[in-house]
Amino acid sequence: MLMVMYDNCYGSEPKGIFVDLTYDSGFKAVFADEANKTLLIGLLNEVLPPQAQISDIEKYYSDREQGKDTRDGKLTKLDLICKGTDGTTFIVEVQRENRSGFFQRCVFYAAGAFHRQLKAKERYSILKPVYIVAFLNYRMQHLETSLWNTNNIVSYYSFTEKRTGEAAPPTISIIFAELERFTKSERECKTDRDWLFYIFKHSSSLIDIPEAIREKPFFNQLLEACRIAAFDEQKKTKYEKAMLDERDILEIKDYAFEQGLAKGLAEGRKEAAERVNETARAMLADGMPVETVAKYTGLTAEMIGNLA
């Protein structure tokens, strides 16, 4: 089963010849369209391990909601659910901004999809693996940063035995592609993976299909699917509305953050000033002269006088 979700975009209006695939609405307009199923398969197969390669997606579903496990449980809403022919589940997400708890969120989604496969009295042995594939428009934090560069932007997390590194049977796996780390220019792109990440990251700024890949059917199909002018009227209207709605949401969040930051700075300055005043009062109480208090607190004699 394949589940696709999308997050956050911003700006005032959709622009460009091609959609921006790092934005929710752009990604969804291309890869959530059943007519572009082969593009979604190609995208995922570039980052999935050999044992998880997709031969076909069985069908799309309209149900976007995963039920709660308990009455007070958290509701999970998904944008698209598909099923692979072998029963393997994939959850795909585009994430534009770093959020705390994102890894835990991925595990939460995957765990829900994993355990909901079984019906009463069915055996655990029939459970199929669940993969989360997340395309991130930012850099994750890694212990050894030198191991992560423009040639190494995909990370793969799964269950392994700590001492020996022995891999457990496939259950839940999480894959991240850090697009912010991909810095190759058109001239530096050599492999299909290079070109896929390049288009994914720069689609909105392209004015035509790069000459180096014009003879490659997959990339021609991909960019034609991204061409906004090729959308029918209904799809274009839906895409533009979704873009504007998401941009409005992010602008509101940005404004709230800025207001919160300003408030935090003001409160921080107030707290710092009060700590200086408390220090000055303590020094005065110990009998220190005003000149000494002024020297070590930075307060003027007048300000110190007003503390008494």
Side-chain angles (χ1 to χ4, degrees):
M1 186 171 287
L2 175 70
M3 306 175 187
V4 184
M5 302 159 295
Y6 315 88
D7 262 317
N8 306 326
C9 56
Y10 60 88
S12 58
E13 60 178 284
K15 296 180 179 180
I17 296 173
F18 303 103
V19 301
D20 190 326
L21 293 173
T22 68
Y23 286 19
D24 304 353
S25 299
F27 185 91
K28 186 173 182 179
V30 176
F31 294 107
D33 189 331
E34 292 185 57
N36 298 327
K37 181 173 69 172
T38 57
L39 297 178
L40 180 57
I41 292 172
L43 173 70
L44 294 177
N45 281 343
E46 271 302 336
V47 295
L48 289 170
Q51 71 271 18
Q53 294 289 292
I54 304 171
S55 59
D56 196 9
I57 293 172
E58 185 175 305
K59 59 182 176 180
Y60 286 71
Y61 297 88
S62 58
D63 181 15
R64 299 173 51 196
E65 236 176 57
Q66 284 188 321
K68 298 179 181 180
D69 290 334
T70 65
R71 185 178 64 179
D72 298 326
K74 189 175 180 65
L75 184 66
T76 300
K77 289 188 177 181
L78 308 171
D79 290 306
L80 176 67
I81 302 178
C82 302
K83 187 175 183 180
T85 55
D86 64 351
T88 299
T89 298
F90 301 90
I91 301 175
V92 185
E93 183 168 356
V94 172
Q95 185 78 8
R96 283 196 58 81
E97 56 185 12
N98 195 356
R99 294 182 179 179
S100 61
F102 181 66
F103 192 94
Q104 292 89 329
R105 170 182 160 187
C106 290
V107 174
F108 180 81
Y109 288 155
F114 188 72
H115 83 76
R116 287 190 181 94
Q117 295 179 61
L118 286 186
K119 296 178 181 179
K121 298 182 179 180
E122 289 184 330
R123 296 179 179 275
Y124 293 108
S125 59
I126 70 171
L127 285 167
K128 297 295 184 179
V130 174
Y131 290 86
I132 284 192
V133 179
F135 295 91
L136 312 177
N137 207 38
Y138 59 87
R139 300 183 181 207
M140 296 176 62
Q141 292 185 346
H142 296 285
L143 293 177
E144 184 52 69
T145 56
S146 64
L147 299 178
W148 303 95
N149 52 48
T150 193
N151 291 310
N152 297 281
I153 72 170
V154 178
S155 51
Y156 181 86
Y157 298 86
S158 61
F159 288 101
T160 59
E161 202 285 317
K162 185 175 181 179
R163 182 175 63 87
T164 64
E166 179 182 338
T171 50
I172 291 174
S173 300
I174 300 175
I175 300 170
F176 297 121
E178 300 174 48
L179 298 174
E180 181 64 22
R181 294 189 185 276
F182 185 79
T183 58
K184 291 185 179 181
S185 64
E186 279 192 29
R187 185 174 300 178
E188 294 171 313
C189 290
K190 303 299 181 184
T191 66
D192 284 353
R193 173 176 281 200
D194 286 345
W195 279 111
L196 183 61
F197 289 147
Y198 182 86
I199 291 173
F200 207 112
K201 188 173 180 179
H202 299 289
S203 58
S204 64
S205 62
L206 295 176
I207 59 174
D208 202 354
I209 301 175
E211 185 176 353
I213 55 174
R214 285 181 184 173
E215 302 303 318
K216 295 192 173 187
F218 176 83
F219 294 110
N220 272 272
Q221 184 183 354
L222 174 57
L223 281 170
E224 285 305 318
C226 293
R227 195 182 296 274
I228 299 171
F231 292 176
D232 61 39
E233 195 60 35
Q234 182 179 5
K235 181 174 180 177
K236 185 176 181 182
T237 300
K238 182 179 180 181
Y239 160 70
E240 291 179 342
K241 182 181 184 303
M243 286 286 286
L244 291 173
D245 288 346
E246 290 173 300
R247 286 170 169 171
D248 285 345
I249 290 171
L250 192 56
E251 285 180 352
I252 291 170
K253 290 171 65 178
D254 287 345
Y255 176 77
F257 174 79
E258 290 171 0
Q259 293 299 305
L261 182 60
K263 181 179 179 181
L265 290 173
E267 291 177 349
R269 287 192 292 268
K270 182 178 179 181
E271 292 176 1
E274 185 55 37
R275 286 197 295 270
V276 171
N277 290 341
E278 289 176 359
T279 300
R281 290 191 185 98
M283 294 173 73
L284 291 172
D286 285 344
M288 294 186 181
V290 172
E291 293 79 6
T292 303
V293 175
K295 176 180 178 180
Y296 288 104
T297 63
L299 300 176
T300 64
E302 182 180 358
M303 294 167 69
I304 295 171
N306 291 333
L307 293 176

